Amino acid sequence: MSTTVPIVLAGARGHGRWHLGNIHRLQAKGAVRLAGICELTPLADEEIPDGLGTPEQSADLGALLDATGARIAVICTPIPTHTDLALIAADRGVHILLEKPPTPSYAEFRRMADGVARASVGCQVGFQSLGSHAVPAIRRMIAEGAIGVVRGVGGAGAWARDEAYYRRAPWAGKRRLNGDDVIDGVLTNPLAHAVATSLAVLGTTRAEDVTGIETELLRANDIESDDTSCVRVATALGPVTVAATLCAEQPGEPYVLVHGSAGRITYWYKQDRVLLQRAGHGPEETEYERTDLLENLVDHVTTGADLLVEPESTGAFMKVVEAIRLADDPAALPADAWRLVPEENRRIVPGIDSLVAAAADTLGLYSELGASWAPPKEVST
C-alpha cells in the first residue's frame, strides 16, 4: 500500500501558486497531502485550489512542521530566506524541495548544503529542467561520440519582462536588500535554468569543475541587478557560455547548444526537445519525458530513489552566482541602446536577440561580438 506524504508549502503566492497546482496534482494521485501553508499573511479560502482541503497555516515554519508532522517542506520564498528555512526543516528531519537559485551566495550555499548533509535529509533543488530525460540522453550522445569531440556549450535565453515584473516583490531586481544578498539577475533567477542546464549537459555541475568565470552584466531597466548579461565558465571539459536578456525584441524559447567537432546538439529545455545534427546523417529530433522534481523527492522519501538535483550538483551554478555577486554592479546601458515599448510597458534592446544567439553559437561574450555598449569583461576565479 502506498504512503501518502504530508507536505508543507512555504511561499504559496507568486511562483508558489505553481507549487500549489503541482501539489494538487500529486494529492489527487494519492501521493501527497498538503498539511500546511507557511505565509506571512494566511491564504484566503479562494486562494487554495479546490481539493486541497483546509491545510493548517502559520507564519512560523518550524511550528508548522512540528504541528503537522510534515515529511517534506517545499520552500518557495524570497532568495535570502532559503538557507535559514531549509535548515529549520533539516533540523526536524524534514526533506526539502528548495526553489532555485538555492542561495544568493556561495557561503550561504555551503551553510545550507553542509547543514542538510549533517541532518541526513534529502534536498532537491528546483531546477525543473534537470528532471528532463533529455539531459542524460544528451550526455549519452556525447559519451558515444555522436558529435565528435565537444568544443563547448552555449546557452541562449531571450525573454521579455515588463516594468511590473520588477515590482512583484520588494527583492525583485535587487542585488541586495536590507544588507542581505539577493542577486536577482537574469542569469541567476529567471534564466538560471539556461546556466544550470548548460553545465549539466557537459557534465560539469560541481563546484570543483569550474576553473574560471568571465561576466558581462548590464541593465536596460531602472533596477539594481542585471537584465542583459552573459557569462563564460571555464571547465576542464570546455567552455560554457550563456547569454540572456529580459529585453528581447521577439521573445523565444531558451535553448542549450552543444558544439562538437562533427556536429551539434540543440536542446530546448522548456520543451524537452532535442535536435541532433551530425556529419553524414539527417537531422534527428526527439521529445523526451520529464520527471517532476517533487514526485522524485516523494519517491526518495518513500522508496529511497536517488534524487535528481542534489545540492552538490548545483555547485558549479552557485560558483556562477558568486562571480556575479562579486562583480561590479551591472552597467546601465546608454540611453540610445534601449527603447520603451509603451503598449507592453517594457524595455527592449535592439539587436539583442541576434547577439544572444551569436553568443551561444560562437561561445563569445557580448564585448567580443561587437556590442558597442558592452563593458570590458571581468575575470573571476
Side-chain angles (χ1 to χ4, degrees):
M1 182 176 172
S2 63
T3 304
T4 300
V5 178
I7 288 181
V8 160
L9 172 61
R13 295 190 174 94
H15 183 59
R17 287 194 293 268
W18 183 89
H19 286 287
L20 270 180
N22 196 38
I23 292 168
H24 185 275
R25 178 183 68 85
L26 293 177
Q27 185 157 316
K29 293 170 62 172
V32 306
R33 176 178 61 81
L34 182 61
I37 294 173
C38 183
E39 267 288 357
L40 296 179
T41 305
L43 268 63
D45 290 347
E46 59 269 20
E47 292 181 276
I48 301 173
D50 289 342
L52 285 178
T54 53
E56 290 193 42
Q57 298 201 56
S58 172
D60 183 330
L61 179 61
L64 192 59
L65 293 173
D66 292 341
T68 59
R71 298 186 67 195
I72 289 176
V74 176
I75 298 173
C76 183
T77 56
I79 302 164
T81 67
H82 283 186
T83 296
D84 286 344
L85 293 180
L87 295 180
I88 285 170
D91 287 347
R92 288 163 170 77
V94 176
H95 304 272
I96 303 152
L97 174 61
L98 183 63
E99 254 306 336
K100 59 82 191 162
T103 64
S105 71
Y106 194 76
E108 282 290 277
F109 172 70
R110 285 267 46 100
R111 187 164 74 90
M112 180 277 295
D114 294 345
V116 164
R118 281 194 302 272
S120 298
V121 298
C123 181
Q124 182 100 281
V125 180
F127 284 109
Q128 293 292 340
S129 61
L130 302 186
S132 177
H133 303 180
V135 173
I138 293 169
R139 298 275 298 276
R140 283 194 298 273
M141 291 177 204
I142 291 170
E144 291 164 3
I147 57 170
V149 178
V150 171
R151 306 296 195 201
V153 177
W159 277 3
R161 292 292 183 268
D162 62 13
E163 304 247 349
Y165 175 77
Y166 299 106
R167 296 192 296 271
R168 73 191 190 279
W171 52 268
K174 294 285 199 300
R175 280 173 69 77
R176 292 168 197 88
L177 183 65
N178 301 326
D180 293 325
D181 289 316
V182 176
I183 320 300
D184 181 35
V186 61
L187 291 167
T188 54
N189 195 6
L191 281 155
H193 283 92
V195 178
T197 309
S198 296
L199 292 164
V201 297
L202 189 58
T204 51
T205 60
R206 301 176 73 84
E208 55 267 30
D209 295 328
V210 175
T211 57
I213 299 172
E214 301 163 85
T215 62
E216 293 183 359
L217 311 177
L218 303 116
R219 58 179 180 82
N221 284 277
D222 185 17
I223 55 175
E224 279 184 14
S225 206
D226 55 303
D227 58 36
T228 300
S229 297
C230 56
V231 63
R232 184 161 54 207
V233 183
T235 81
L237 298 181
V240 174
T241 299
V242 182
T245 185
L246 300 179
C247 305
E249 295 174 283
Q250 300 292 328
E253 283 292 331
Y255 60 90
V256 168
L257 186 56
V258 186
H259 298 271
S261 59
R264 66 199 299 180
I265 301 167
T266 309
Y267 172 31
W268 292 271
Y269 60 80
K270 286 178 69 67
Q271 301 175 322
D272 303 305
R273 185 162 59 92
V274 174
L275 176 64
L276 171 63
Q277 297 166 290
R278 52 183 170 160
H281 295 76
E284 303 168 47
E285 187 168 318
T286 309
E287 284 192 26
Y288 290 86
E289 296 296 314
R290 179 183 292 209
T291 299
D292 176 73
L293 295 184
L294 179 55
E295 208 157 351
N296 172 238
L297 179 57
V298 171
D299 287 344
H300 173 78
V301 170
T302 56
T303 71
D306 289 340
L307 290 173
L308 291 169
V309 195
E310 292 186 293
E312 295 302 338
S313 69
T314 67
F317 169 79
M318 284 305 308
K319 284 290 188 181
V320 174
V321 173
E322 184 70 356
I324 290 171
R325 185 182 78 88
L326 294 175
D328 290 342
D329 285 347
L333 287 170
D336 60 358
W338 61 270
R339 65 182 178 85
L340 182 67
V341 181
E343 60 272 21
E344 298 176 30
N345 194 31
R346 70 180 185 91
R347 300 183 186 191
I348 66 167
V349 176
I352 192 61
D353 300 26
S354 57
L355 266 175
V356 164
D361 202 42
T362 65
L363 306 180
L365 301 174
Y366 293 148
S367 60
E368 298 166 344
L369 295 169
S372 60
W373 38 255
K377 61 180 180 286
E378 300 178 20
V379 179
S380 170
T381 55

